[in-house]
Amino acid sequence: MLEKITLIRGRAVPLRGEDIDTDRIIPARFMKALTFEGLGQYLFYDERFDEKGQPKPHPLNDPRYQGASLLLVEAGFGSGSSREHAPQAIKRAGFKAIIGESFAEIFFGNATAIGLPCVTLSPEDLAALFQAVERDPSLEVEVDLLAKEVRFGDRTAPLAIPEPAREALVAGLWDPIGELLQAGELLDAFDRKLPYPRRSE
Amino acid sequence: MGKTLYEKVWEAHEVRRLRSGQSQLFIDLHLLHEVTSPQAFGMLKDLGLKVRYPHRTFATVDHIVPTHDRTEPFQDPLAQSMLEALRQNTREHGITFFDLGSGDQGIVHVIGPQLGLTQPGMTIACGDSHTSTHGAFGAVAFGIGTSQVRDVLATQTLAAQKLKVRRINIEGKLAPGVYAKDVILHIIRHLGVKGGLGYAYEYGGSAVEAMDMESRMTLCNMSIEGGARIGYVNPDETTFAYLEGRPYSPKGAEWEEAKRRWRSFASDPDAHYHDVVTFRAEEIPPTVTWGINPGQAVPIDGRIPLLEELPEEERPVAEEALAYMGLRPGQPIQGVPVQVAFIGSCTNARLSDLREVARFLKGHRVKKGVRALVVPGSEWVAKRAEEEGIAEIFREAGFEWRNPGCSMCLAMNPDRLEGDELAASSSNRNYKGRMGSPRGRTVLMSPLMVAAAAVAGEIADAREVFGILTR
């Protein structure tokens, strides 16, 4: 049985910038691997480290944000490649949810399927959250998928997330494989009915 | 009320509704490659599951393949291990694998259509965002992540949520020297890199109807760069003519039956669209990017925008892009020096791309100091290009003629930019660090424009370099 993901509470890292693509989240050279293990250390590698491997100024290198479990982003986060390595790297670096303005489709699906909720706030609420966290990195933030709100300081902001994804997360059905397998014989009927490519030369 | 192709294909493949409200969608064709599948096979093993319908699953190796020396073992042991893993996994599960040297190896989105695997009315999935390419045939083709690759291997289905459909009309006739690549860069420039979020893009109108299949593939290929996970063109006689006689196309009596079925998937004339956008083909110029996402583009005779000309929300990314690219606001894009020219990738490495460039490149020379590479999309494309003398034209012009693969597009093989080199590229992404150097710079354009940049040593208008009459 999968974990029911209902409430995530923790500190947040503010990561500014629109249209942050999956190549930036995890550069392609780190995909030369047969498993997802160890990907957390390469999260945003080229933004965090110079060509000699020395740390650069970056929120993820900032001691004030160490141990945070929420990632704050802007619009168009996760655009580009379908690489699940991107949300895997985020999850394996210790993040439990992402709060932003909008997410690329494939990234959103990949993240949901590994139990990493991506929720959106209105631009006003998101701006307020960014400011609050930048002012006070120790601020506690709550993402409540049952009440459909993000709470921080004395503010309560309604969050948005497509209902099927929310359902799947709160019911512990976010990895759909179990339910997909239940279709059983129904699948064979589709396999018989739908043509498939056959070679003949 | 009529239906769109997207709705018809969806309905024909919906196995059932899931408790979350998503649909369980049957996938006709599953394409695999070495980068996003090994973890999926690992998960399958952990769950004690098998590949449910191996006859619907086909694999090739493309991302990590060296294009210079393909002798095994590769110099990069990690790349070799990924190839070995795919060989082992496909053998174990009875999956057809188009291995190196088979004659059919190549970029997954090039070989699917080329072999006739990609057919109208299909649902297609592949662990690669450019799976949208296959929509050129009137298929609904999804780029998916690795957990979903596992889902498709185990059940031949995906949990999926239905999108809205935006019809994008391109009406009229494209000007000489203007290609499908310019059309899609123009669309993304105008609708934005987030413009397609929540939509499938249906491309149509007289200019799209007039396009050959390989141009339609280029168009659909970059739907994802516009934020749309799906892009497609309705199947028509052009589609059928392309498919006829391909190795995996239906034959004999099945051919006529298949055409009848394929035709039935096309969007009805009275179909409802959630949005309709129309562009005039004559107004589309050769288009190149100047920034760090594919929406940051300008006409080749244009200037990089001034910050104050941009909507306020685009300015921070524009500033970031200018700093990264080493360009100034208001600067003409023509004349920016290039160090590398790359013709290749799933966007533009098909035979028609290479033929069109060769037609104009003959008799020209790559400028001294420019490293120019052509990486054909597949072994089949490479062979035909050799036979037709295209390869020789490229070599004589000073291009390196390489073996097929994804190559510099994302630089998972040894081909990559060095330092802050700037590449004129026929690929699909100009993200920071995309071509393998964390400081490397990419300018996206059509293959002919890449050739023009190689010859001029700077970003140039192919119509001028090659004397293409525009009137």
Side-chain angles (χ1 to χ4, degrees):
Chain A
M1 191 58 198
L2 298 169
E3 182 198 356
K4 292 184 165 114
I5 300 172
T6 53
L7 180 72
I8 300 125
R9 182 186 292 123
R11 289 180 295 114
V13 184
L15 196 69
R16 294 212 178 251
E18 297 220 345
D19 306 323
I20 290 179
D21 57 78
T22 51
D23 276 80
R24 269 203 242 179
I25 299 171
I26 181 112
R29 63 185 186 281
F30 300 118
M31 296 203 296
K32 265 191 277 182
L34 298 173
T35 73
F36 290 130
E37 276 161 45
L39 281 185
Q41 61 187 307
Y42 302 122
L43 181 63
F44 285 106
Y45 190 88
D46 289 339
E47 318 237 309
R48 293 170 64 192
F49 301 98
D50 67 15
E51 282 161 283
K52 294 194 187 83
Q54 295 302 311
K56 298 195 278 193
H58 189 279
L60 288 173
N61 291 343
D62 188 330
R64 296 176 303 156
Y65 297 119
Q66 295 311 302
S69 54
L70 298 165
L71 195 59
L72 284 193
V73 301
E74 296 192 88
F77 188 78
S79 60
S81 150
S82 67
R83 62 189 70 166
E84 187 174 309
H85 305 67
Q88 288 277 3
I90 293 171
K91 190 177 176 186
R92 284 160 197 267
F95 292 95
K96 304 263 190 287
I98 313 178
I99 306 170
E101 189 179 329
S102 62
F103 296 92
E105 308 271 346
I106 304 179
F107 178 87
F108 177 85
N110 285 342
T112 307
I114 61 170
L116 180 68
C118 300
V119 303
T120 60
L121 298 181
S122 72
E124 297 72 35
D125 284 330
L126 189 64
L129 179 54
F130 262 101
Q131 280 165 16
V133 169
E134 283 164 346
R135 204 167 42 234
D136 175 14
S138 71
L139 182 74
E140 185 114 311
V141 180
E142 286 187 337
V143 178
D144 187 338
L145 291 173
L146 290 174
K148 293 194 250 187
E149 58 196 30
V150 171
R151 296 183 290 267
F152 56 98
D154 53 7
R155 194 161 176 146
T156 297
L159 68 79
I161 178 170
E163 196 51 27
R166 194 191 71 91
E167 278 288 331
L169 289 161
V170 300
L173 299 167
W174 38 271
D175 181 344
I177 185 72
E179 204 182 350
L180 294 177
L181 283 163
Q182 286 165 14
E185 306 268 298
L186 211 48
L187 301 175
D188 296 334
F190 272 81
D191 180 50
R192 279 192 301 273
K193 186 173 73 178
L194 295 169
Y196 55 87
R198 277 164 298 150
R199 191 162 194 143
S200 59
E201 273 175 300
Chain B
M1 171 121 55
K3 289 178 179 168
T4 60
L5 176 138
Y6 181 78
E7 291 172 288
K8 293 184 198 182
V9 172
W10 190 280
E11 284 168 16
H13 292 82
E14 187 174 41
V15 176
R16 56 183 192 144
R17 288 289 174 87
L18 300 173
R19 273 171 284 177
S20 64
Q22 288 185 303
S23 298
Q24 182 170 5
L25 215 56
F26 196 85
I27 300 301
D28 290 315
L29 174 68
H30 188 195
L31 301 169
L32 297 177
H33 63 83
E34 77 283 11
V35 181
T36 56
S37 69
Q39 307 85 349
F41 280 108
M43 296 180 207
L44 214 58
K45 196 170 182 181
D46 291 345
L47 292 166
L49 297 168
K50 286 190 157 44
V51 176
R52 180 118 188 176
Y53 304 117
H55 53 277
R56 292 182 178 276
T57 315
F58 297 85
T60 193
V61 55
D62 52 13
H63 286 64
I64 53 88
V65 181
T67 61
H68 188 56
D69 181 3
R70 306 212 287 182
T71 314
E72 292 184 50
F74 302 150
Q75 302 231 328
D76 179 348
L78 283 172
Q80 184 70 39
S81 70
M82 294 173 89
L83 170 57
E84 304 280 356
L86 187 57
R87 280 187 183 138
Q88 166 68 23
N89 286 325
T90 51
R91 198 182 310 124
E92 193 178 310
H93 293 277
I95 293 166
T96 303
F97 177 42
F98 306 115
D99 201 346
L100 294 176
S102 65
D104 289 327
Q105 176 265 339
I107 304 176
V108 67
H109 311 306
V110 174
I111 68 163
Q114 174 187 298
L115 288 164
L117 289 166
T118 304
Q119 297 171 12
M122 274 185 171
T123 48
I124 300 177
C126 174
D128 188 287
S129 60
H130 291 104
T131 307
S132 60
T133 311
H134 305 266
F137 290 78
V140 172
F142 299 87
I144 58 177
T146 296
S147 294
Q148 290 186 302
V149 171
R150 173 208 59 187
D151 294 347
V152 181
L153 288 172
T155 68
Q156 204 63 33
T157 62
L158 277 180
Q161 202 182 347
K162 209 167 177 179
L163 298 165
K164 294 180 283 187
V165 180
R166 171 179 292 148
R167 166 86 176 186
I168 300 181
N169 292 307
I170 314 292
E171 299 289 357
K173 200 167 177 296
L174 293 173
V178 177
Y179 299 95
K181 180 64 158 287
D182 301 303
V183 176
I184 189 64
L185 286 173
H186 184 80
I187 291 172
I188 299 168
R189 178 181 166 223
H190 286 278
L191 300 183
V193 290
K194 294 186 282 289
L197 290 181
Y199 287 99
Y201 278 176
E202 175 178 307
Y203 303 101
S206 53
V208 174
E209 285 161 21
M211 280 183 189
D212 62 23
M213 287 310 294
E214 302 202 338
S215 298
R216 293 180 188 178
M217 286 183 233
T218 301
L219 193 60
C220 291
N221 174 276
M222 288 188 68
S223 302
I224 189 74
E225 273 72 35
R229 188 176 190 176
I230 304 274
Y232 68 88
V233 177
N234 284 307
D236 61 8
E237 295 305 320
T238 304
T239 320
F240 308 149
Y242 178 95
L243 282 170
E244 192 165 12
R246 303 250 160 202
Y248 284 89
S249 291
K251 305 281 180 328
E254 285 181 17
W255 172 249
E256 289 305 322
E257 168 56 23
K259 276 203 292 186
R260 191 197 56 74
R261 188 179 132 78
W262 292 344
R263 222 175 256 125
S264 73
F265 282 110
S267 295
D268 296 323
D270 59 342
H272 166 76
Y273 297 95
H274 298 86
D275 189 28
V276 179
V277 181
T278 299
F279 294 95
R280 290 298 313 174
E282 296 80 7
E283 291 169 9
I284 300 176
T287 300
V288 299
T289 60
W290 55 267
I292 53 171
N293 74 47
Q296 292 175 319
V298 285
I300 184 60
D301 56 2
R303 289 167 181 274
I304 294 164
L306 299 171
L307 289 174
E308 50 271 30
E309 291 166 356
L310 295 169
E312 203 165 334
E313 67 274 15
E314 289 179 21
R315 289 177 202 168
V317 180
E319 279 184 273
E320 185 183 355
L322 290 165
Y324 184 82
M325 296 297 289
L327 299 170
R328 297 185 315 277
Q331 178 184 352
I333 192 71
Q334 274 190 58
V336 173
V338 305
Q339 289 81 47
V340 174
F342 171 66
I343 296 180
S345 88
C346 58
T347 314
N348 281 123
R350 298 184 173 80
L351 190 59
S352 58
D353 295 313
L354 306 188
R355 271 183 187 151
E356 185 69 6
V357 175
R359 185 158 81 89
F360 291 103
L361 185 64
K362 200 174 165 65
H364 290 270
R365 283 288 306 172
V366 169
K367 181 106 170 182
K368 197 162 174 289
V370 176
R371 181 159 60 108
L373 279 79
V374 193
V375 182
S378 68
E379 291 182 346
W380 185 89
V381 169
K383 182 161 178 279
R384 292 297 294 269
E386 290 282 0
E387 287 166 2
E388 293 182 17
I390 292 169
E392 198 46 39
I393 292 173
F394 276 107
R395 287 194 200 99
E396 277 175 8
F399 272 87
E400 296 175 36
W401 180 261
R402 297 299 191 95
N403 290 300
C406 300
S407 181
M408 276 196 141
C409 174
L410 85 171
M412 283 190 76
N413 76 341
D415 306 338
R416 61 190 56 170
L417 299 183
E418 305 284 341
D420 68 350
E421 279 182 332
L422 187 142
S425 177
S426 74
S427 58
N428 39 54
R429 290 182 175 150
N430 52 344
Y431 300 148
K432 286 177 166 184
R434 172 72 180 183
M435 295 178 84
S437 164
R439 292 188 292 126
R441 298 170 294 160
T442 305
V443 177
L444 301 176
M445 58 187 78
S446 75
L448 190 67
M449 292 282 285
V450 175
V455 167
E458 58 187 35
I459 295 170
D461 191 335
R463 298 169 302 186
E464 289 167 18
V465 173
F466 300 119
I468 298 171
L469 297 176
T470 52
R471 284 283 172 272

